[in-house]
């Protein structure tokens, strides 16, 4: 059992830590009572909540928006303008050119009809390859299409020179007429042939 002095010392130490004072009074034979009174502290400063609200409301926080409403409107307008795909516009242009250069309403195979459609197709593929330079399969198809158009223009020049001039000038096609390209005999005829009549073969020793 603890003595009275030990208990009072423990209560005084705990009260000191908690911020209160302990007053013990009563004779040993009488009932003991302990009165705990809080320590006096500094007078609190009165603060009005309305004043704090006014200070908080007057401070404007900076707008932390990634996009404004005007930017979103501009993007929506741009999407509406670019809604039509380029392939659809190219197909419409091909149909228009074919109707312009066909010889009669049911024409589907004349050189002018084919050249007009190929020219617009070549233009579309050229634009596509500028955006996708590593699309090698499309590049291969483009080269084949250009060669086919060149053969058709050569045929058209041999059949109707005036129509050839009209379509090349209207569609702004770069093409050399067959007569402007020197043949093999014209280009290499001035050089003497190989001796012994063995062209491209070596003589075998017997």
């Amino acid at each position: 059992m603890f003595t009275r002095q030990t208990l009072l010392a423990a209560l005084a130490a705990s009260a000191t830590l908690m911020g209160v004072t302990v007053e013990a009074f009563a004779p040993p034979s009488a009932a003991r009572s302990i009165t705990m009174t809080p320590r006096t502290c500094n007078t609190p400063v009165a603060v009005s909540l309305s004043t704090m609200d006014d200070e908080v409301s007057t401070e404007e926080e900076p707008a932390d928006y990634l996009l404004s409403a005007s930017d979103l409107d501009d993007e929506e307008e741009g999407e509406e303008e670019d809604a039509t795909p380029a392939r659809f516009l190219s197909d419409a242009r091909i149909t228009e050119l074919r109707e312009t250069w066909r010889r009669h309403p049911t024409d589907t195979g004349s050189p002018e009809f084919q050249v007009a459609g190929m020219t617009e197709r070549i233009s579309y593929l050229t634009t596509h390859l500028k955006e996708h330079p590593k699309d090698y399969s499309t590049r291969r198809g483009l080269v084949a299409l250009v060669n086919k158009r060149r053969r058709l223009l050569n045929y058209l020049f041999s059949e109707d020179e005036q129509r050839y001039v009209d379509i090349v000038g209207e569609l702004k096609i770069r093409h050399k007429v067959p007569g402007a390209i020197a043949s093999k005999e014209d280009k290499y005829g001035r050089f003497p042939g190989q001796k012994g009549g063995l062209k491209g073969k070596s003589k075998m020793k017997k």
Side-chain angles (χ1 to χ4, degrees), residues 32-128:
R32 296 186 299 272
S33 64
I34 299 174
T35 304
M36 302 177 67
T37 59
R39 287 184 177 180
T40 59
C41 59
N42 296 331
T43 304
V45 179
V47 179
S48 174
L49 295 178
S50 61
T51 306
M52 295 180 65
D53 295 339
D54 295 339
E55 292 179 357
V56 173
S57 61
T58 53
E59 295 179 359
E60 296 182 358
E61 297 182 356
D64 189 11
Y65 301 110
L66 297 177
L67 293 175
S68 62
S70 60
D71 296 336
L72 294 175
D73 294 339
D74 294 340
E75 290 182 358
E76 291 178 358
E77 292 177 358
E79 291 178 357
E80 291 178 357
E81 292 177 357
D82 299 335
T84 306
R87 180 60 185 272
F88 178 80
L89 297 176
S90 177
D91 292 342
R93 177 65 176 165
I94 288 175
T95 304
E96 180 183 354
L97 288 175
R98 285 175 174 174
E99 292 177 356
T100 303
W101 290 99
R102 62 185 179 183
R103 296 184 179 181
H104 49 81
T106 59
D107 181 17
T108 57
S110 64
E112 298 93 325
F113 182 90
Q114 297 184 59
V115 167
M118 289 180 184
T119 301
E120 176 59 29
R121 184 65 178 158
I122 288 170
S123 177
Y124 171 77
L125 294 178
T126 303
T127 305
H128 172 80

Side-chain angles (χ1 to χ4, degrees), residues 113-190:
F113 182 90
Q114 297 184 59
V115 167
M118 289 180 184
T119 301
E120 176 59 29
R121 184 65 178 158
I122 288 170
S123 177
Y124 171 77
L125 294 178
T126 303
T127 305
H128 172 80
L129 286 175
K130 289 180 181 179
E131 299 177 358
H132 308 280
K134 293 189 177 182
D135 191 353
Y136 298 110
S137 59
T138 300
R139 186 183 300 275
R140 183 169 179 262
L142 176 61
V143 172
L145 199 61
V146 170
N147 291 333
K148 186 175 182 180
R149 186 184 67 174
R150 176 176 50 81
R151 292 192 297 270
L152 286 171
L153 289 173
N154 291 343
Y155 172 78
L156 182 61
F157 178 79
S158 63
E159 293 293 325
D160 192 343
E161 185 174 347
Q162 183 59 41
R163 293 187 64 85
Y164 164 83
V165 173
D166 293 341
I167 193 170
V168 169
E170 183 69 23
L171 300 179
K172 298 180 181 180
I173 301 174
R174 292 180 297 177
H175 178 260
K176 293 182 179 180
V177 296
I181 302 175
S183 62
K184 187 175 181 179
E185 290 76 12
D186 296 338
K187 189 173 183 179
Y188 302 105
R190 63 180 185 277

